[in-house]
């Protein structure tokens, strides 16, 4: 957990008031109890997870996407008793369990409908480990109705008992009415003739007539003037009803015991459901508080950093929101290079509020609460928060305010480290300004050396000068309108602020001669602030100019790299175009070769063997020359591409690497390696390629995965699903066919047509052999009808 010095830091930063607001948002006492125990943490993963859960719930609230969470009872005592073998739960306990089960069922249904588990992934993760079966709900509903009463048909015996009881009550009613009518006619009954005593139906009889009616006297009135008699004629029926009522109680107990036995094995699971619902309640409370203060999740970092954009003090924002006032946001960036802010300015200008805003937001964030900052803000994890705020006077320890400040400073210097955030309000105050300012400067110097992050408010000029002279410390001020002499509450980083004491004194109506005397007495001390502000302004201007020059240099360097890259890419495309042209000419040669071979066969038939041999030799020479030119062009392309390939090419390719096809430029991920070949995943399709035809590539963005440039996309759009291999050698056919099929898969072609001729069947077998390498990407292979080419043509349906 986070370490605080002194121990009341959370109260000083008003974190307890945030807890009070959060507790009001809880639906159940269990979640409220968890809120009261909430403390800032230092575990990055835990904090990050809690923030993401809250952000998901907040998103659901903002989208008005009602999450099925309602108030629910604390059933922990019932679950503890249920662990005792043979223990029977009361009827009310089952209603609490049913409530829990119903809410959990609704949550499972919520995530089962549509893409909600993808929209709110961290909320779904809370129930992901759990399973749910409606069997328990059905078991309870088979015993209880919608109002929570025992169902009449909860068991066959209960139905029988209640049916017999109803019959006996009707019989009793009939006999009782007869007796009432008979005895009333004789004047033996009171004005209210009937009543109940000891659970039995009786007659109200005046004392003077009680001996006239045979039966059992159950009671008398306080005055003794009325006796309550159960007539002898209905005693047996009343006894029967009493027996049936006792039998009903025993049957109800048996039903509840049986239901308890049914639920008992699931008590641990139901306990998990309860804990999950409490966690959901805790998250929804944080989300509702976040909505009320327009809070969001900044970028969380493991190491300390404070980069707040459009930040607000959470409590001030809520207060002003209620009163309709505008709250001024602030921006602040502290990092390892600049880690201390010395904040100055007039009283009531907002210095302390700005400082507390930083501290409170960090306490909230590390407690898993969203905070009112822009979501592009960056905040790191702090392990310690030290604060010296407000009146530190202690009667118990016999310490003055200044002594208490020195005691805090000593503890800060002993315990602080680079993971500490230090907040000091009015540093150095409480004693004589000169020694107080000197001691404050020495303390600031030590804090700076320790590398702590700090926000310090002050009026002392020497602290502003120290911040100006030392790198790593920033001056800041709360902007003050000189004309109206009113604070604007805007935090300005880069230059110190003035107290505007004399200006405010003039506005308050103090005599001018009095103020003039004071100005004369301060003399050079007030000039220091003015000079320092001017120096800070000039320094800031120089730093801005330096940043501008640096940005231009970096921009120029990027332009040069872009130019070199484009030039290289253009050269690669030129070489690839040359390669494509040579391959096209090779295919054209193969077409011409078929005509020449036909001529050679004719010459052989005409017995002109010498002429046939001459033509065949010339044909082989030309084919060899074209193939050589293709290989040379291909080598040039490979060499150019390897020059531009990522440095990963220095190691062997592995599963999971991203690669680019030399032919076509498409990018994919290696799913499997088989010898010298790799299976690639490209935009939802699988492609097999030789390792020599692949180049390492960086991981593409989602929308570019599987394709190269716009030119390559156009090429796939113009893909022709027909190829002619006739006249090619086996090696030529394999190379051309592989490129053809790869392009077909990238183009999402449905069907391919390969012309290979009949001959001795060598090229047909080559086609079959190559297609086996593409596995499940090939749905069907067959030959068309004879009039469409028969065995000389292979049709391929792609899967």
């Amino acid at each position: 957990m986070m370490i605080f010095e002194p121990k009341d830091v959370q109260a000083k930063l008003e974190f307890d008031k945030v807890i009070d607001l959060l507790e009001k948002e809880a639906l159940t006492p269990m979640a409220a109890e968890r809120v009261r125990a909430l403390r800032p943490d230092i575990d990055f993963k835990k904090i990050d997870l809690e923030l993401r859960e809250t952000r998901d719930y907040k998103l659901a609230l903002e989208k008005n996407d009602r999450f099925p969470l309602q108030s629910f009872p604390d059933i922990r005592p019932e679950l503890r008793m249920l662990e005792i073998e043979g223990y029977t739960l009361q009827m009310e306990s089952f209603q609490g369990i049913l409530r829990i089960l119903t809410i959990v069922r609704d949550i499972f249904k919520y995530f089962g409908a549509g893409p909600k588990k993808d929209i709110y992934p961290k909320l779904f993760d809370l129930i992901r480990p759990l399973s749910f079966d409606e069997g328990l709900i059905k078991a309870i509903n088979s015993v209880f109705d919608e109002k929570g009463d025992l169902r009449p048909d909860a068991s066959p015996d209960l139905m029988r008992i209640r049916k017999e009881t109803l019959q006996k009550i009707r019989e009793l009613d009939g006999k009782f009415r007869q007796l009432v009518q008979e005895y009333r006619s004789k004047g033996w009954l009171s004005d209210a003739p009937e009543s109940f005593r000891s659970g039995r139906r009786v007659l109200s009889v005046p004392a003077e007539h009680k001996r006239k009616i045979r039966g059992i006297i159950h009671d008398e009135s306080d005055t003794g003037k009325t006796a309550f008699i159960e007539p002898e004629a209905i005693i047996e029926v009343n006894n029967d009803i009493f027996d049936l009522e006792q039998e009903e109680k025993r049957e109800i107990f048996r039903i509840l015991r049986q239901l308890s036995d049914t639920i008992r094995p699931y008590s641990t699971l139901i306990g998990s459901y309860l804990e999950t619902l409490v966690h959901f309640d805790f998250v929804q409370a944080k989300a509702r508080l976040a909505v009320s203060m327009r809070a969001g999740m900044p970028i969380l970092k493991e190491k300390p950093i404070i980069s707040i954009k459009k930040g607000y003090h959470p409590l001030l924002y809520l207060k002003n929101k209620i009163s309709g006032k505008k709250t001024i946001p602030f921006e602040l960036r502290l990092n390892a290079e600049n880690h201390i802010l010395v904040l100055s300015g007039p009283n009531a200008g907002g210095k302390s509020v700005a400082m507390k805003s930083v501290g409170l937001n960090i306490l909230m964030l590390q407690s898993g609460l969203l905070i009112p900052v822009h979501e592009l803000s960056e905040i790191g994890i702090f392990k310690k928060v030290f604060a010296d705020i407000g009146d530190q006077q202690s009667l118990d320890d016999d310490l003055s305010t200044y002594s208490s400040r020195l005691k805090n400073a000593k503890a800060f210097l002993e315990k602080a480290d680079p993971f500490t955030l230090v907040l000091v309000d009015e540093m150095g105050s409480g004693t004589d300004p000169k020694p107080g300012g000197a001691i404050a400067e020495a303390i600031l110097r030590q804090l700076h050396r320790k590398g702590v992050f700090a926000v310090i408010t002050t009026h002392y000029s020497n602290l502003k000068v120290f911040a100006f002279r030392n790198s790593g410390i920033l001056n800041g001020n709360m902007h003050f309108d000189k004309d109206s002499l009113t604070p604007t509450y805007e935090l300005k980083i880069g230059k110190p602020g003035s107290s505007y004491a004399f200006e405010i004194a003039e506005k308050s109506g103090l005599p001018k001669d009095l103020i003039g005397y004071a100005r004369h007495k301060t003399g050079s001390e007030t000039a220091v602030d003015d000079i320092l502000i001017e120096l800070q302004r000039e320094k800031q201007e120089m730093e801005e100019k330096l940043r501008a020059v640096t940005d231009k240099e970096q921009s120029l360097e990027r332009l040069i790299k872009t130019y070199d890259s484009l030039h290289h890419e253009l050269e690669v495309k030129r070489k690839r175009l040359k390669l494509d042209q040579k391959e096209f000419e090779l295919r054209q040669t193969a077409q011409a070769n078929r005509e020449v071979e036909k001529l050679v066969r004719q010459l052989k038939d005409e017995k002109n063997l010498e002429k046939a041999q001459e033509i065949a030799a010339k044909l082989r020479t030309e084919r060899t020359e074209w193939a050589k030119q293709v290989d040379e062009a291909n080598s040039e392309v490979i060499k150019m591409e390897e020059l531009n390939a990522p440095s990963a090419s220095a190691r062997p390719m592995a599963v999971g690497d991203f690669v680019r096809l030399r032919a076509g430029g498409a990018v994919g991920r290696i799913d499997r390696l088989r010898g010298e070949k790799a299976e690639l995943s490209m935009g939802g399709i699988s492609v097999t390629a030789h390792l020599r035809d692949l180049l390492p590539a960086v991981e593409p963005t989602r929308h570019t995965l599987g394709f190269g440039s716009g030119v390559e996309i156009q090429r796939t759009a113009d893909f022709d699903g027909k190829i002619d291999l006739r006249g090619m050698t086996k090696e030529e056919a394999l190379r051309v066919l592989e490129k053809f099929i790869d392009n077909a898969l990238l183009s999402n072609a449905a069907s391919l047509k390969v012309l290979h001729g009949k001959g001795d069947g060598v090229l047909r077998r080559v086609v079959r052999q190559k297609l086996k390498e593409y596995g499940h990407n090939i749905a069907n292979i067959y030959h068309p009808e004879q009039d469409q080419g028969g065995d000389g043509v292979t049709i391929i349906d792609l899967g």
Side-chain angles (χ1 to χ4, degrees):
M1 300 300 287
M2 183 180 281
I3 297 173
F4 300 103
E5 187 68 44
K7 303 302 182 183
D8 63 348
V9 169
Q10 295 178 75
K12 292 289 185 183
L13 293 175
E14 299 181 291
F15 182 68
D16 54 330
K17 293 183 179 179
V18 175
I19 295 297
D20 291 341
L21 293 173
L22 184 60
E23 185 179 10
K24 293 177 182 177
E25 299 292 349
L27 296 174
T28 65
M30 291 169 286
E33 179 184 336
R34 188 166 175 179
V35 168
R36 298 307 309 176
L38 186 62
R39 297 292 181 272
D41 210 313
I42 60 173
D43 186 330
F44 174 83
K45 291 184 178 178
K46 181 174 181 287
I47 296 169
D48 184 66
L49 177 60
E50 291 179 353
L51 291 173
R52 292 179 186 277
E53 290 173 352
T54 308
R55 184 177 64 179
D56 280 2
Y57 206 109
K58 175 174 172 275
L59 176 61
L61 292 175
E62 291 172 338
K63 293 176 57 160
N64 202 23
D65 189 359
R66 182 182 171 278
F67 192 81
L69 183 66
Q70 306 171 38
S71 178
F72 52 89
D74 184 358
I75 60 169
R76 288 175 294 185
E78 284 83 353
L79 293 178
R80 284 193 294 269
M81 298 306 296
L82 199 58
E83 292 176 358
I84 301 173
E85 193 64 35
Y87 184 83
T88 301
L89 295 177
Q90 300 299 313
M91 292 176 63
E92 298 78 12
S93 301
F94 288 106
Q95 297 309 304
I97 293 173
L98 180 62
R99 178 78 167 173
I100 300 294
L101 294 174
T102 302
I103 296 174
V104 172
R105 178 198 63 191
D106 292 344
I107 292 175
F108 269 90
K109 287 182 178 180
Y110 177 82
F111 284 108
K116 287 188 172 60
K117 62 181 65 174
D118 298 319
I119 299 174
Y120 316 116
K122 296 306 175 184
L123 292 182
F124 177 66
D125 285 346
L126 295 177
I127 65 164
R128 190 191 297 273
L130 301 175
S131 60
F132 187 79
D133 184 352
E134 291 205 28
L136 290 178
I137 292 181
K138 292 179 179 177
I140 296 175
N141 284 336
S142 68
V143 174
F144 298 98
D145 60 19
E146 294 80 2
K147 296 180 180 180
D149 297 326
L150 203 69
R151 296 173 63 94
D153 58 349
S155 76
D157 283 345
L158 185 63
M159 285 182 64
R160 174 188 58 78
I161 293 169
R162 289 189 171 178
K163 184 178 179 181
E164 291 179 4
T165 302
L166 186 60
Q167 291 173 348
K168 289 294 181 180
I169 290 175
R170 287 173 180 168
E171 182 182 346
L172 177 63
D173 285 343
K175 289 184 176 182
F176 207 84
R177 279 196 300 270
Q178 290 177 0
L179 292 173
V180 168
Q181 186 176 0
E182 178 184 347
Y183 296 149
R184 177 176 283 166
S185 64
K186 296 179 179 180
W188 294 352
L189 299 180
S190 304
D191 293 337
E194 58 181 290
S195 182
F196 279 90
R197 287 293 185 273
S198 303
R200 300 174 79 89
R201 199 168 180 178
V202 294
L203 295 172
S204 300
V205 181
E208 61 272 20
H209 300 304
K210 66 180 180 181
R211 299 300 177 189
K212 298 175 182 177
I213 300 175
R214 296 179 60 82
I216 299 173
I217 299 175
H218 285 277
D219 197 6
E220 289 185 349
S221 65
D222 293 339
T223 60
K225 292 181 178 181
T226 303
F228 299 99
I229 302 173
E230 179 182 6
E232 186 178 49
I234 63 170
I235 290 176
E236 186 177 350
V237 178
N238 266 335
N239 286 341
D240 290 342
I241 292 174
F242 178 80
D243 290 343
L244 288 170
E245 287 174 347
Q246 297 305 309
E247 187 179 358
E248 180 178 352
K249 289 180 180 178
R250 290 192 295 272
E251 179 60 17
I252 289 174
F253 180 80
R254 186 196 67 78
I255 293 170
L256 296 180
R257 183 178 60 193
Q258 185 178 27
L259 186 57
S260 298
D261 292 340
T262 300
I263 293 177
R264 183 171 288 108
Y266 301 96
S267 59
T268 301
L269 179 61
I270 297 172
S272 300
Y273 290 160
L274 178 63
E275 288 301 315
T276 301
L277 292 186
V278 171
H279 191 82
F280 272 122
D281 189 6
F282 181 55
V283 172
Q284 73 84 26
K286 294 193 292 181
R288 291 186 187 278
L289 181 63
V291 170
S292 68
M293 60 176 60
R294 289 176 57 192
M297 178 180 173
I299 300 169
L300 193 66
K301 299 290 186 179
E302 292 193 56
K303 294 183 178 179
I305 183 176
I306 300 173
S307 179
I308 295 176
K309 302 178 187 293
K310 294 184 179 179
Y312 297 89
H313 188 291
L315 299 175
L316 180 62
Y317 176 84
L318 291 176
K319 179 182 177 182
N320 288 345
K321 179 181 175 183
I322 294 171
S323 61
K325 295 180 181 179
K326 180 182 179 183
T327 308
I328 307 299
F330 69 94
E331 301 205 1
L332 173 64
R333 180 171 179 81
L334 298 178
N335 51 32
E337 289 74 33
N338 296 307
H339 50 92
I340 295 179
L341 173 66
V342 174
L343 191 56
S344 52
N347 287 325
K351 300 190 304 295
S352 298
V353 172
M355 177 197 63
K356 288 182 178 180
S357 297
V358 175
L360 181 56
N361 275 309
I362 285 175
L363 293 187
M364 288 176 61
L365 186 71
Q366 292 189 217
S367 300
L369 299 174
L370 301 182
I371 57 177
V373 301
H374 193 281
E375 292 190 348
L376 291 179
S377 303
E378 297 180 25
I379 301 180
I381 301 298
F382 290 89
K383 296 181 179 179
K384 305 173 184 177
V385 173
F386 299 165
D388 186 351
I389 300 172
D391 186 4
Q392 303 290 323
Q393 187 172 8
S394 174
L395 296 177
D396 293 336
D397 298 331
D398 195 24
L399 291 175
S400 66
T401 298
Y402 188 66
S403 297
S404 294
R405 286 185 173 276
L406 293 179
K407 181 181 178 183
N408 285 339
K410 177 177 181 291
F412 294 174
L413 294 176
E414 289 175 351
K415 301 175 183 178
D417 58 31
F419 290 89
T420 304
L421 174 65
V422 176
L423 306 171
V424 181
D425 193 21
E426 301 295 352
M427 190 174 196
S429 64
T431 189
D432 187 285
K434 285 193 175 180
I439 292 173
E441 183 176 326
I443 294 170
L444 177 59
R445 178 169 169 264
Q446 285 299 104
L447 291 174
H448 178 228
R449 288 183 173 182
K450 281 180 168 287
V452 304
F453 283 68
V455 178
I456 293 168
T457 70
T458 187
H459 287 287
Y460 288 170
S461 297
N462 66 308
L463 297 185
K464 305 175 194 177
V465 173
F466 184 82
F468 174 76
R469 290 176 175 173
N470 290 270
S471 61
I473 306 180
L474 299 174
N475 265 309
N477 73 90
M478 301 307 295
H479 185 255
F480 197 77
D481 189 329
K482 295 181 182 178
D483 298 327
S484 63
L485 293 179
T486 55
T488 65
Y489 305 109
E490 294 181 45
L491 173 60
K492 301 287 186 181
I493 305 297
K495 61 180 182 180
S498 170
S499 65
Y500 293 101
F502 295 124
E503 290 83 354
I504 294 173
E506 286 181 1
K507 186 180 180 182
S508 67
L510 287 177
K512 290 186 177 180
D513 58 336
L514 186 151
I515 295 172
Y517 177 82
R519 283 185 184 274
H520 175 72
K521 291 297 292 182
T522 55
S524 61
E525 291 183 13
T526 56
V528 170
D529 276 359
D530 297 334
I531 295 171
L532 183 60
I533 290 171
E534 183 62 24
L535 285 173
Q536 190 78 49
R537 184 187 62 78
E538 293 178 0
K539 179 183 177 183
Q540 194 169 356
E541 288 178 356
M542 291 300 297
E543 288 177 346
E544 288 175 356
K545 290 179 180 178
L546 180 60
R547 279 196 296 271
V549 171
T550 303
D551 290 343
K552 288 180 179 179
E553 287 180 351
Q554 292 175 348
S555 178
L556 180 60
E557 186 177 348
R558 286 194 296 270
L559 284 173
I560 293 172
K561 287 182 178 180
T562 302
Y563 171 79
D564 289 342
S565 176
L566 289 173
H567 177 73
H568 185 85
E569 185 178 345
L570 184 61
E571 188 65 19
V572 170
K573 287 183 177 180
R574 189 179 67 80
K575 297 287 187 183
R576 187 178 287 141
L577 185 61
K578 180 180 176 182
L579 173 61
D580 291 344
Q581 181 64 27
K582 293 295 182 184
E583 289 180 341
F584 175 75
E585 291 172 352
L586 180 61
R587 289 195 294 273
Q588 291 297 104
T589 303
Q591 180 68 24
N593 286 345
R594 288 195 291 274
E595 299 297 326
V596 174
E597 287 174 353
K598 185 176 181 182
L599 177 59
V600 169
R601 285 195 296 273
Q602 290 177 358
L603 291 173
K604 285 182 178 180
D605 293 341
E606 295 172 2
K607 307 300 184 184
N608 193 344
L609 185 59
E610 184 178 343
K611 183 69 174 177
Q613 290 175 341
E614 180 183 345
I615 292 173
K618 183 180 179 181
L619 182 63
R620 284 194 297 272
T621 301
E622 289 179 355
R623 182 179 295 174
T624 301
E625 181 62 27
W626 280 112
K628 181 180 179 183
Q629 291 182 18
V630 170
D631 289 339
E632 288 175 354
N634 191 43
S635 297
E636 289 181 10
V637 172
I638 291 173
K639 190 176 296 183
M640 291 291 293
E641 289 177 327
E642 287 178 345
L643 287 174
N644 202 37
S647 58
S649 58
R651 63 172 177 81
M653 294 179 184
V655 173
D657 286 352
F658 283 87
V659 294
R660 178 166 54 86
L661 289 174
R662 295 186 191 276
V667 177
R669 186 180 60 247
I670 298 177
D671 289 340
R672 185 182 178 191
L673 290 171
R674 293 188 288 109
E676 295 299 316
K677 294 184 179 180
E679 289 185 7
L680 311 178
S681 176
M682 291 183 174
I685 64 173
S686 181
V687 177
T688 302
H690 284 282
L691 294 179
R692 66 172 180 269
D693 295 330
L694 303 176
L695 287 171
V698 295
E699 181 177 355
T701 56
R702 183 175 297 180
H703 67 277
T704 61
L705 184 61
F707 296 100
S709 65
V711 175
E712 301 301 338
I713 296 173
Q714 182 61 41
R715 289 176 58 183
T716 59
D718 297 337
F719 175 74
D720 183 5
K722 179 180 177 182
I723 191 172
D724 191 348
L725 304 179
R726 290 177 296 181
M728 296 185 186
T729 65
K730 179 179 178 181
E731 290 72 20
E732 292 169 351
L734 280 171
R735 183 170 56 202
V736 172
L737 182 62
E738 181 176 303
K739 186 174 181 180
F740 171 71
I741 297 175
D742 286 348
N743 286 335
L745 290 171
L746 293 175
S747 304
N748 289 322
S751 180
L752 307 177
K753 186 175 183 180
V754 181
L755 282 68
H756 45 68
K758 297 181 180 180
D760 55 6
V762 173
L763 290 182
R764 184 172 67 250
R765 289 193 293 275
V766 165
V767 172
R768 291 275 180 171
Q769 174 188 341
K770 174 55 68 176
L771 292 177
K772 289 180 180 178
E773 298 177 5
Y774 289 87
H776 63 273
N777 288 310
I778 307 300
N780 193 18
I781 305 171
Y782 62 92
H783 300 296
E785 299 295 333
Q786 288 299 325
D787 59 349
Q788 296 180 10
D791 293 345
V793 177
T794 296
I795 305 296
I796 306 163
D797 292 336
L798 299 179

